[in-house]
Amino acid sequence: MSPSGVRRQWEVVPSDIAQKTHNPLRNVVENLRLEPNPEKSMIALSIGDPTVFGNLKPPVEVIEAMQESLLSIRYNGYAPSTGHQEAREAVARYSSSAAVTVHSQDVVLCSGCSCALDLAITVLANPGQNILVPRPGFPLYRTLAESLGIHVKSYNLRPERGWEVDTMHLEQQIDASTAALVVSNPSNPCGSVYSRQHLRDILQVARAKFVPVIADEIYEHMVFPGQTFHPLASVSDDVPILACSGITKRFLVPGWRMGWITIHDRHGIFETAGVRAGLQRLSQRILGSNTLVQGALASIFTRTPEKFFQDTIMTLQCHANIAYDMLKGAKGLTPLMPKGAMYMMVGINMAEFPDFASELNFVEQMVTEESVFCLPSKCFDYTNYMRLVLTVPEEQLREACHRITAFCKRYHRPEDADSHKGNTDVVETCTSNCSAALRESRDLIVPKDASISP
C-alpha cells in the first residue's frame, strides 16, 4: 500500500486463520503416491464414514422421523442459535442417566460433532494458550486449534494397556498455559473404551491441575458386549466438562450434520467464568444446526429400536474378530483388538520390513501391489501402526486381510531371535458367528472430500 494509504495494485492475501488451517490427515494422504494395482479392485479400509459401502443403513424409524419433520412444514425456518427448545429437551433426555442429569439449558445444538468440538475449543482457549490432545488421536483437534493460534500438546496413550492414557505423561504436559484437556472415549483411531476407574484417574489429573475437559464422545454406546460406556460427566464430581456428541455414528447418518455440546458444571465454574454465555455467543456465528433434523430428534431417540443398535454392534464386533484372527498370523503385524467404535489399530514391526523407511512407505506400496488402503498412523501423530475401518462388508474385509497377509509375507525379513518385538499383543481372540450374506458394495479409494477424516 502506498504512503497515502491508497492501494495502487491488488494486495489480496488469505487471512491468518486460513493460512494456519491444515488437516494433518489430508496432508499425509495427499502426499502419498496412491496408484492401485489395476488388476485388483480397490478396497479402502480408510474411510471413517459407516454409510459409504451400503451395508450399514439407518433404521426405517429414523427415515420416517425425518420424513415427518419435513412434511410438517414446521421446521423450514431459522431456529434459535442453540437449537429449538423441544430438540434440546430431547438431547437432554437422551444424554441423561441415573448417574448424570442434563437439562435443556445445558444443551447447545451444533452442525455435527466437529462443530461442537470447534465451539468447545474456541470458548475455552485463547491464541497462545494450549490444549492437550491424545496421541494417537483424531487430527481434527489440531486442525481446529491451530487455525485459531492455539497450540497443541500431545499426551501419550499406551497400546500395551489397551490404549489407556499415560496419566503420568498427561500430568507432565500440563503447564500454566493449558486451557483444556481433550479426552476421546470411545476412541478414534484406537477403538478403546475406558473403564470407570481409568476415567477417574484422568479426572484426578484434571482436578489437581484445574484444567477443564472437552469430552469427545461421538462414539458413545458403540461398545462391544462385555464393555460399558461411561460418560465422563457421570464419573466427575467437580471437574467442569463440555461433552461433545451427535447422531452421526450411532444412528448411521453422518451427512445429517447434527451434533451437540452438553455442559456439565456442578459447581458453577463455567457459569462464573462466562463459558455458558460464550457458547451462546459463538452459536450465533453458525446460526444453529439443521432444523429439519432438530424436528426429528425426539422421534429418532424414542423410536429407534434397540435391536438396530445391537445389530450394528454385532456387525462391528464380528468384523473386528475377522480382522484380528486373520491379521494376527500376518508376519510382522500385531493387531490390537478394539473394544468399541469402528476401528482397529495394527502395529507394524518396521524392523522386520527393511524395504520400507516408515509405515507411510509400507501402506503406499500395499496400495500399489494389493489395492488395499489403510490409514498410516502418521495421520494420528503416531508411528509404526496403521488404522483399519471395520465397516466395510465382510467379503471385502476378508479379501483385504488376505491381501495384507500376502503383502507382509512377500516383504517380511525376520529379525534375529534375540531382537526386540515391535509391538505387544495384549488382547485375546474373541469368537462369534457372523452372517455370510452381506450386501454388495462399490470399490472405493479415498475421495477428495472430507469423508476420510472422521
Side-chain angles (χ1 to χ4, degrees), residues 269-347:
I269 296 168
F270 283 152
E271 186 73 36
T272 302
V275 171
R276 282 179 180 268
L279 284 172
Q280 171 78 35
R281 289 191 292 271
L282 288 173
S283 72
Q284 293 168 0
R285 298 181 64 190
I286 63 171
L287 294 179
S289 60
N290 188 307
T291 54
L292 291 176
V293 184
Q294 288 187 42
L297 274 180
S299 295
I300 288 173
F301 292 145
T302 57
R303 293 187 196 173
T304 301
E306 188 62 29
K307 186 178 185 301
F308 163 76
F309 299 129
Q310 294 171 351
D311 289 348
T312 302
I313 290 298
M314 290 307 297
T315 297
L316 294 174
Q317 185 188 40
C318 169
H319 290 190
N321 290 333
I322 290 169
Y324 180 82
D325 288 341
M326 294 185 71
L327 295 180
K328 70 178 181 180
K331 296 181 181 297
L333 297 187
T334 303
L336 298 185
M337 185 68 183
K339 297 179 180 179
M342 312 185 315
Y343 311 103
M344 174 181 288
M345 290 286 272
V346 178

Coordinates of all heavy atoms in Angstrom, one line a residue, residues 269-347:
I269 N -18.5 -23.4 37.8 CA -17.2 -22.9 37.3 C -17.3 -22.2 35.9 O -16.9 -21.1 35.7 CB -16.1 -24.0 37.3 CG1 -15.9 -24.5 38.7 CG2 -14.8 -23.4 36.7 CD1 -15.0 -25.7 38.8
F270 N -18.0 -22.9 35.0 CA -18.2 -22.4 33.7 C -19.2 -21.2 33.8 O -19.0 -20.2 33.0 CB -18.9 -23.4 32.8 CG -17.9 -24.5 32.2 CD1 -18.4 -25.7 31.9 CD2 -16.6 -24.2 32.0 CE1 -17.5 -26.7 31.4 CE2 -15.7 -25.1 31.5 CZ -16.2 -26.4 31.2
E271 N -20.2 -21.2 34.7 CA -21.1 -20.1 34.8 C -20.4 -18.9 35.3 O -20.6 -17.8 34.7 CB -22.2 -20.5 35.8 CG -23.3 -19.5 36.0 CD -24.2 -19.5 34.8 OE1 -24.5 -20.6 34.2 OE2 -24.7 -18.4 34.4
T272 N -19.6 -19.0 36.3 CA -18.8 -17.8 36.8 C -17.9 -17.3 35.8 O -17.7 -16.1 35.7 CB -18.1 -18.3 38.1 OG1 -19.0 -18.8 39.1 CG2 -17.3 -17.1 38.7
A273 N -17.2 -18.2 35.0 CA -16.2 -17.7 34.1 C -16.9 -17.2 32.8 O -16.1 -16.6 32.0 CB -15.3 -18.9 33.7
G274 N -18.2 -17.3 32.6 CA -18.8 -16.8 31.4 C -18.7 -17.8 30.2 O -19.0 -17.4 29.1
V275 N -18.4 -19.1 30.5 CA -18.3 -20.0 29.4 C -19.7 -20.3 28.8 O -19.8 -20.4 27.6 CB -17.6 -21.3 29.9 CG1 -17.7 -22.4 28.8 CG2 -16.2 -21.1 30.2
R276 N -20.7 -20.4 29.6 CA -22.0 -20.7 29.1 C -22.5 -19.5 28.1 O -22.9 -19.7 27.0 CB -23.1 -20.8 30.2 CG -23.1 -22.1 30.9 CD -24.1 -22.1 32.0 NE -24.2 -23.4 32.7 CZ -25.0 -24.4 32.4 NH1 -25.8 -24.2 31.4 NH2 -25.0 -25.5 33.1
A277 N -22.2 -18.3 28.6 CA -22.6 -17.1 27.8 C -21.7 -17.1 26.5 O -22.2 -16.7 25.4 CB -22.4 -15.9 28.6
G278 N -20.5 -17.5 26.7 CA -19.6 -17.6 25.5 C -20.1 -18.6 24.4 O -20.0 -18.3 23.2
L279 N -20.6 -19.7 24.9 CA -21.1 -20.7 23.9 C -22.3 -20.1 23.2 O -22.5 -20.4 22.0 CB -21.4 -22.0 24.6 CG -20.3 -22.9 25.0 CD1 -20.7 -24.1 25.9 CD2 -19.6 -23.4 23.7
Q280 N -23.1 -19.4 24.0 CA -24.3 -18.8 23.4 C -23.9 -17.8 22.3 O -24.5 -17.8 21.2 CB -25.1 -18.0 24.5 CG -26.2 -17.1 24.0 CD -27.5 -17.9 23.6 OE1 -27.8 -18.9 24.2 NE2 -28.2 -17.5 22.6
R281 N -22.9 -17.0 22.5 CA -22.4 -16.0 21.6 C -21.8 -16.7 20.3 O -22.0 -16.3 19.2 CB -21.4 -15.1 22.2 CG -22.1 -14.1 23.2 CD -21.1 -13.0 23.5 NE -20.0 -13.5 24.3 CZ -20.0 -13.6 25.7 NH1 -21.1 -13.2 26.4 NH2 -18.9 -14.0 26.3
L282 N -21.0 -17.8 20.6 CA -20.4 -18.5 19.5 C -21.4 -19.2 18.6 O -21.2 -19.3 17.4 CB -19.4 -19.5 20.0 CG -18.1 -18.9 20.6 CD1 -17.2 -20.0 21.3 CD2 -17.3 -18.2 19.5
S283 N -22.5 -19.7 19.3 CA -23.5 -20.4 18.5 C -24.2 -19.4 17.5 O -24.7 -19.8 16.5 CB -24.6 -21.0 19.4 OG -25.4 -20.0 20.0
Q284 N -24.1 -18.1 17.8 CA -24.8 -17.1 16.9 C -23.9 -16.9 15.6 O -24.4 -16.3 14.7 CB -24.9 -15.8 17.7 CG -25.9 -15.9 18.8 CD -25.9 -14.7 19.7 OE1 -25.1 -13.8 19.6 NE2 -26.8 -14.7 20.8
R285 N -22.7 -17.4 15.6 CA -21.9 -17.3 14.4 C -22.3 -18.4 13.4 O -22.2 -18.2 12.2 CB -20.4 -17.6 14.7 CG -19.8 -16.5 15.7 CD -18.4 -16.7 15.9 NE -17.6 -16.6 14.7 CZ -16.3 -17.0 14.6 NH1 -15.7 -17.5 15.6 NH2 -15.7 -16.8 13.4
I286 N -22.8 -19.5 13.9 CA -23.3 -20.6 13.0 C -24.8 -20.6 12.8 O -25.3 -21.3 11.9 CB -22.8 -22.0 13.5 CG1 -23.5 -22.3 14.8 CG2 -21.3 -22.1 13.6 CD1 -23.3 -23.7 15.3
L287 N -25.5 -19.8 13.6 CA -26.9 -19.6 13.4 C -27.7 -21.0 13.5 O -28.7 -21.2 12.8 CB -27.3 -18.9 12.1 CG -26.8 -17.4 12.1 CD1 -27.2 -16.8 10.7 CD2 -27.4 -16.6 13.2
G288 N -27.2 -21.8 14.3 CA -27.9 -23.1 14.6 C -27.6 -24.2 13.6 O -26.9 -24.0 12.6
S289 N -28.1 -25.4 14.0 CA -27.9 -26.6 13.2 C -29.1 -26.8 12.3 O -30.1 -26.1 12.3 CB -27.6 -27.8 14.1 OG -28.8 -28.0 15.0
N290 N -29.1 -27.9 11.6 CA -30.1 -28.3 10.7 C -31.5 -28.4 11.4 O -31.7 -29.3 12.2 CB -29.8 -29.6 10.0 CG -30.7 -30.0 8.9 OD1 -31.9 -30.1 9.0 ND2 -30.1 -30.3 7.7
T291 N -32.4 -27.6 11.0 CA -33.7 -27.5 11.7 C -34.6 -28.7 11.4 O -35.4 -29.2 12.2 CB -34.5 -26.2 11.3 OG1 -34.6 -26.1 9.9 CG2 -33.7 -25.0 11.9
L292 N -34.5 -29.3 10.2 CA -35.3 -30.5 9.9 C -34.9 -31.6 10.8 O -35.7 -32.4 11.2 CB -35.1 -30.9 8.4 CG -35.7 -29.9 7.3 CD1 -35.3 -30.4 5.9 CD2 -37.2 -29.8 7.5
V293 N -33.6 -31.8 11.0 CA -33.1 -32.9 11.9 C -33.5 -32.6 13.3 O -33.9 -33.4 14.1 CB -31.6 -33.1 11.8 CG1 -31.2 -34.3 12.6 CG2 -31.2 -33.3 10.3
Q294 N -33.5 -31.3 13.7 CA -34.0 -30.9 15.0 C -35.4 -31.3 15.2 O -35.8 -31.9 16.3 CB -33.9 -29.4 15.2 CG -32.4 -28.8 15.4 CD -32.4 -27.4 15.8 OE1 -33.2 -27.0 16.6 NE2 -31.6 -26.6 15.2
G295 N -36.2 -31.1 14.2 CA -37.6 -31.5 14.3 C -37.8 -33.0 14.5 O -38.9 -33.5 15.0
A296 N -36.9 -33.8 14.0 CA -37.0 -35.3 14.1 C -36.3 -35.9 15.3 O -36.5 -37.1 15.6 CB -36.4 -35.9 12.8
L297 N -35.5 -35.1 16.0 CA -34.7 -35.7 17.1 C -35.5 -36.5 18.1 O -35.1 -37.6 18.5 CB -33.9 -34.6 17.8 CG -32.6 -34.2 17.2 CD1 -31.9 -33.1 18.0 CD2 -31.6 -35.4 17.0
A298 N -36.6 -35.9 18.6 CA -37.3 -36.6 19.7 C -37.8 -38.0 19.2 O -37.7 -39.0 19.9 CB -38.5 -35.8 20.1
S299 N -38.3 -38.0 18.0 CA -38.7 -39.3 17.4 C -37.6 -40.3 17.1 O -37.7 -41.5 17.3 CB -39.5 -39.1 16.1 OG -40.7 -38.4 16.4
I300 N -36.5 -39.7 16.7 CA -35.3 -40.6 16.4 C -34.9 -41.3 17.7 O -34.6 -42.5 17.7 CB -34.1 -39.7 15.8 CG1 -34.5 -39.3 14.4 CG2 -32.8 -40.4 15.9 CD1 -33.5 -38.3 13.8
F301 N -34.8 -40.5 18.8 CA -34.3 -41.1 20.0 C -35.3 -42.1 20.6 O -34.9 -43.1 21.2 CB -34.1 -40.0 21.1 CG -33.0 -39.1 20.7 CD1 -33.0 -37.7 21.1 CD2 -31.8 -39.5 20.1 CE1 -31.9 -36.9 20.8 CE2 -30.8 -38.7 19.8 CZ -30.8 -37.4 20.2
T302 N -36.6 -41.9 20.5 CA -37.6 -42.7 21.1 C -38.0 -43.9 20.3 O -38.4 -44.9 20.8 CB -38.8 -41.9 21.5 OG1 -39.4 -41.3 20.4 CG2 -38.5 -40.9 22.6
R303 N -38.0 -43.8 19.0 CA -38.5 -44.8 18.1 C -37.4 -45.8 17.6 O -37.8 -46.9 17.3 CB -39.1 -44.2 16.8 CG -40.4 -43.4 17.1 CD -41.0 -43.0 15.7 NE -41.9 -41.9 15.8 CZ -42.5 -41.3 14.8 NH1 -42.1 -41.7 13.6 NH2 -43.4 -40.4 14.9
T304 N -36.2 -45.4 17.6 CA -35.1 -46.3 17.1 C -35.1 -47.6 18.0 O -34.9 -47.5 19.2 CB -33.8 -45.7 17.1 OG1 -33.8 -44.5 16.3 CG2 -32.7 -46.6 16.6
P305 N -35.3 -48.8 17.4 CA -35.4 -50.0 18.2 C -34.0 -50.4 18.7 O -33.0 -50.2 18.0 CB -35.9 -51.0 17.2 CG -35.6 -50.5 15.9 CD -35.6 -49.0 16.0
E306 N -34.0 -51.0 19.9 CA -32.7 -51.4 20.5 C -32.0 -52.4 19.6 O -30.8 -52.5 19.6 CB -33.0 -52.0 21.9 CG -31.7 -52.3 22.7 CD -30.8 -51.0 23.0 OE1 -31.4 -49.9 23.1 OE2 -29.6 -51.2 23.1
K307 N -32.8 -53.2 18.9 CA -32.2 -54.2 18.0 C -31.3 -53.6 17.0 O -30.3 -54.2 16.5 CB -33.3 -55.1 17.4 CG -32.8 -56.3 16.6 CD -33.9 -57.1 16.0 CE -33.4 -58.3 15.3 NZ -32.5 -58.0 14.2
F308 N -31.7 -52.4 16.5 CA -30.8 -51.8 15.5 C -29.4 -51.5 16.0 O -28.4 -51.8 15.4 CB -31.5 -50.4 15.0 CG -30.5 -49.5 14.3 CD1 -30.2 -49.8 13.0 CD2 -30.0 -48.4 15.0 CE1 -29.3 -48.9 12.4 CE2 -29.1 -47.6 14.3 CZ -28.7 -47.9 13.0
F309 N -29.4 -51.0 17.3 CA -28.1 -50.7 17.9 C -27.3 -52.1 18.1 O -26.1 -52.2 17.8 CB -28.2 -50.0 19.2 CG -28.9 -48.7 19.1 CD1 -30.0 -48.4 19.9 CD2 -28.4 -47.7 18.2 CE1 -30.6 -47.1 19.8 CE2 -29.0 -46.5 18.1 CZ -30.1 -46.2 19.0
Q310 N -28.0 -53.1 18.6 CA -27.4 -54.4 18.8 C -26.8 -55.0 17.5 O -25.7 -55.5 17.5 CB -28.4 -55.3 19.5 CG -28.8 -54.9 20.9 CD -30.0 -55.7 21.4 OE1 -30.6 -56.5 20.7 NE2 -30.3 -55.6 22.7
D311 N -27.6 -54.9 16.5 CA -27.2 -55.5 15.2 C -25.9 -54.7 14.7 O -25.0 -55.4 14.1 CB -28.3 -55.4 14.1 CG -29.4 -56.4 14.4 OD1 -29.2 -57.3 15.3 OD2 -30.5 -56.2 13.8
T312 N -25.9 -53.4 14.8 CA -24.7 -52.7 14.3 C -23.5 -53.0 15.1 O -22.4 -53.3 14.5 CB -25.0 -51.1 14.5 OG1 -26.2 -50.8 13.7 CG2 -23.8 -50.3 14.0
I313 N -23.7 -53.1 16.4 CA -22.5 -53.5 17.3 C -22.0 -54.9 17.0 O -20.8 -55.2 16.9 CB -22.9 -53.4 18.8 CG1 -23.1 -51.9 19.2 CG2 -21.9 -54.1 19.7 CD1 -21.8 -51.1 19.0
M314 N -23.0 -55.8 16.8 CA -22.6 -57.2 16.5 C -21.8 -57.3 15.1 O -20.9 -58.1 15.0 CB -23.8 -58.1 16.4 CG -24.4 -58.4 17.8 SD -23.2 -58.9 19.1 CE -22.7 -60.5 18.3
T315 N -22.3 -56.5 14.1 CA -21.5 -56.4 12.9 C -20.1 -55.9 13.1 O -19.2 -56.5 12.5 CB -22.3 -55.5 11.9 OG1 -23.6 -56.1 11.6 CG2 -21.5 -55.4 10.6
L316 N -20.0 -54.9 13.8 CA -18.6 -54.3 14.0 C -17.8 -55.2 14.8 O -16.6 -55.4 14.5 CB -18.8 -53.0 14.8 CG -19.5 -51.8 14.0 CD1 -19.7 -50.6 14.9 CD2 -18.7 -51.4 12.8
Q317 N -18.3 -55.9 15.8 CA -17.5 -56.9 16.6 C -17.1 -58.1 15.7 O -16.0 -58.5 15.8 CB -18.3 -57.3 17.8 CG -17.4 -58.2 18.7 CD -18.2 -58.9 19.9 OE1 -19.3 -59.3 19.7 NE2 -17.5 -58.9 21.0
C318 N -18.1 -58.5 15.0 CA -17.8 -59.6 14.0 C -16.6 -59.3 13.1 O -15.7 -60.1 12.9 CB -19.1 -60.0 13.2 SG -18.8 -61.1 11.8
H319 N -16.7 -58.1 12.6 CA -15.6 -57.7 11.6 C -14.3 -57.5 12.4 O -13.2 -57.8 11.8 CB -16.0 -56.4 10.9 CG -17.2 -56.6 9.9 ND1 -17.6 -55.6 9.1 CD2 -18.0 -57.6 9.7 CE1 -18.6 -56.0 8.3 NE2 -18.8 -57.3 8.7
A320 N -14.4 -57.0 13.6 CA -13.1 -56.9 14.4 C -12.5 -58.3 14.6 O -11.3 -58.5 14.5 CB -13.4 -56.2 15.7
N321 N -13.4 -59.2 14.9 CA -12.9 -60.6 15.2 C -12.2 -61.2 13.9 O -11.2 -61.8 14.0 CB -14.0 -61.5 15.6 CG -14.5 -61.2 17.0 OD1 -13.8 -60.7 17.8 ND2 -15.8 -61.5 17.2
I322 N -12.9 -61.0 12.8 CA -12.4 -61.4 11.5 C -11.0 -60.8 11.2 O -10.0 -61.6 10.9 CB -13.3 -61.1 10.3 CG1 -14.6 -62.0 10.5 CG2 -12.7 -61.4 9.0 CD1 -15.7 -61.5 9.5
A323 N -10.9 -59.5 11.3 CA -9.6 -58.8 11.0 C -8.5 -59.3 12.0 O -7.4 -59.5 11.6 CB -9.8 -57.3 11.1
Y324 N -8.9 -59.4 13.3 CA -7.9 -59.8 14.3 C -7.4 -61.2 14.0 O -6.2 -61.5 14.0 CB -8.5 -59.7 15.7 CG -7.6 -60.1 16.8 CD1 -6.6 -59.2 17.3 CD2 -7.6 -61.4 17.3 CE1 -5.7 -59.5 18.2 CE2 -6.7 -61.7 18.3 CZ -5.8 -60.8 18.8 OH -4.9 -61.2 19.7
D325 N -8.4 -62.1 13.8 CA -8.0 -63.5 13.6 C -7.1 -63.7 12.3 O -6.2 -64.5 12.3 CB -9.2 -64.4 13.5 CG -9.9 -64.6 14.8 OD1 -9.3 -64.4 15.8 OD2 -11.1 -65.0 14.8
M326 N -7.4 -62.9 11.3 CA -6.7 -63.1 10.0 C -5.3 -62.4 10.1 O -4.4 -62.9 9.5 CB -7.5 -62.6 8.9 CG -8.8 -63.3 8.6 SD -9.7 -62.8 7.1 CE -8.6 -63.4 5.8
L327 N -5.3 -61.2 10.7 CA -4.0 -60.5 10.7 C -3.0 -60.9 11.8 O -1.8 -60.5 11.7 CB -4.3 -59.0 10.8 CG -5.1 -58.4 9.6 CD1 -5.3 -56.9 9.8 CD2 -4.3 -58.6 8.3
K328 N -3.5 -61.6 12.9 CA -2.6 -62.0 13.9 C -1.6 -63.0 13.4 O -0.5 -63.1 14.0 CB -3.3 -62.5 15.1 CG -4.0 -63.9 14.9 CD -4.6 -64.4 16.2 CE -5.2 -65.7 16.0 NZ -5.9 -66.2 17.2
G329 N -1.9 -63.6 12.3 CA -1.0 -64.6 11.7 C -0.1 -63.9 10.6 O 0.8 -64.6 10.0
A330 N -0.3 -62.7 10.3 CA 0.5 -62.0 9.3 C 1.8 -61.7 9.8 O 2.0 -61.1 10.9 CB -0.2 -60.7 8.8
K331 N 2.9 -62.0 9.1 CA 4.2 -61.8 9.5 C 4.5 -60.3 9.7 O 4.3 -59.5 8.9 CB 5.2 -62.4 8.5 CG 5.1 -63.9 8.4 CD 6.2 -64.4 7.4 CE 6.1 -65.9 7.3 NZ 6.3 -66.6 8.5
G332 N 5.0 -59.9 10.9 CA 5.4 -58.6 11.2 C 4.3 -57.7 11.7 O 4.6 -56.5 11.9
L333 N 3.1 -58.2 11.8 CA 2.0 -57.3 12.2 C 1.5 -57.8 13.6 O 1.5 -58.9 13.9 CB 0.8 -57.4 11.2 CG 1.0 -57.0 9.8 CD1 -0.3 -57.0 9.0 CD2 1.7 -55.6 9.7
T334 N 1.0 -56.8 14.3 CA 0.3 -57.1 15.6 C -1.0 -56.3 15.7 O -1.0 -55.1 16.0 CB 1.2 -56.6 16.8 OG1 2.5 -57.3 16.7 CG2 0.6 -57.0 18.1
P335 N -2.1 -56.9 15.4 CA -3.4 -56.3 15.5 C -3.8 -56.1 17.0 O -3.5 -57.1 17.8 CB -4.4 -57.2 14.8 CG -3.7 -58.5 14.9 CD -2.3 -58.3 14.9
L336 N -4.3 -55.0 17.4 CA -4.8 -54.8 18.7 C -6.3 -54.8 18.7 O -7.0 -54.0 18.1 CB -4.3 -53.5 19.3 CG -2.8 -53.4 19.4 CD1 -2.4 -52.1 20.1 CD2 -2.2 -54.5 20.2
M337 N -6.9 -55.8 19.4 CA -8.4 -56.0 19.4 C -9.1 -54.8 20.0 O -8.8 -54.4 21.2 CB -8.8 -57.2 20.1 CG -10.2 -57.6 20.0 SD -10.8 -58.0 18.4 CE -12.5 -58.3 18.7
P338 N -9.9 -54.1 19.3 CA -10.7 -52.9 19.9 C -11.8 -53.4 20.8 O -12.1 -54.6 20.8 CB -11.2 -52.2 18.7 CG -11.4 -53.3 17.6 CD -10.3 -54.3 17.9
K339 N -12.3 -52.4 21.6 CA -13.4 -52.7 22.5 C -14.7 -52.0 22.1 O -15.7 -52.2 22.7 CB -13.0 -52.2 23.9 CG -11.8 -53.0 24.5 CD -11.5 -52.5 25.9 CE -10.3 -53.2 26.5 NZ -10.0 -52.7 27.9
G340 N -14.5 -51.1 21.0 CA -15.7 -50.4 20.6 C -15.3 -49.5 19.4 O -14.3 -49.7 18.8
A341 N -16.2 -48.6 19.0 CA -16.1 -47.7 17.9 C -16.0 -48.5 16.6 O -16.6 -49.6 16.5 CB -14.9 -46.8 18.1
M342 N -15.3 -48.0 15.6 CA -15.3 -48.7 14.3 C -14.0 -49.0 13.7 O -13.8 -49.2 12.5 CB -16.0 -47.8 13.3 CG -17.3 -47.2 13.7 SD -18.2 -46.2 12.4 CE -16.8 -45.3 11.7
Y343 N -12.9 -49.0 14.6 CA -11.6 -49.0 14.1 C -10.7 -50.1 14.8 O -11.0 -50.5 15.9 CB -10.9 -47.7 14.3 CG -11.8 -46.5 13.8 CD1 -12.5 -45.7 14.7 CD2 -11.9 -46.3 12.5 CE1 -13.3 -44.7 14.2 CE2 -12.7 -45.2 12.0 CZ -13.4 -44.4 12.9 OH -14.2 -43.4 12.4
M344 N -9.6 -50.5 14.1 CA -8.6 -51.3 14.7 C -7.3 -50.8 14.3 O -7.0 -50.5 13.2 CB -8.8 -52.8 14.2 CG -7.6 -53.7 14.7 SD -7.8 -55.4 14.0 CE -9.2 -56.0 15.0
M345 N -6.4 -50.7 15.3 CA -5.0 -50.3 15.1 C -4.2 -51.6 15.0 O -4.3 -52.5 15.7 CB -4.5 -49.4 16.2 CG -5.1 -48.0 16.3 SD -4.5 -47.0 15.0 CE -3.0 -46.3 15.8
V346 N -3.3 -51.6 13.9 CA -2.5 -52.7 13.7 C -1.0 -52.3 13.7 O -0.6 -51.4 12.9 CB -2.8 -53.4 12.3 CG1 -1.9 -54.5 12.0 CG2 -4.3 -53.8 12.3
G347 N -0.2 -52.8 14.6 CA 1.2 -52.5 14.7 C 2.0 -53.1 13.6 O 1.7 -54.2 13.2

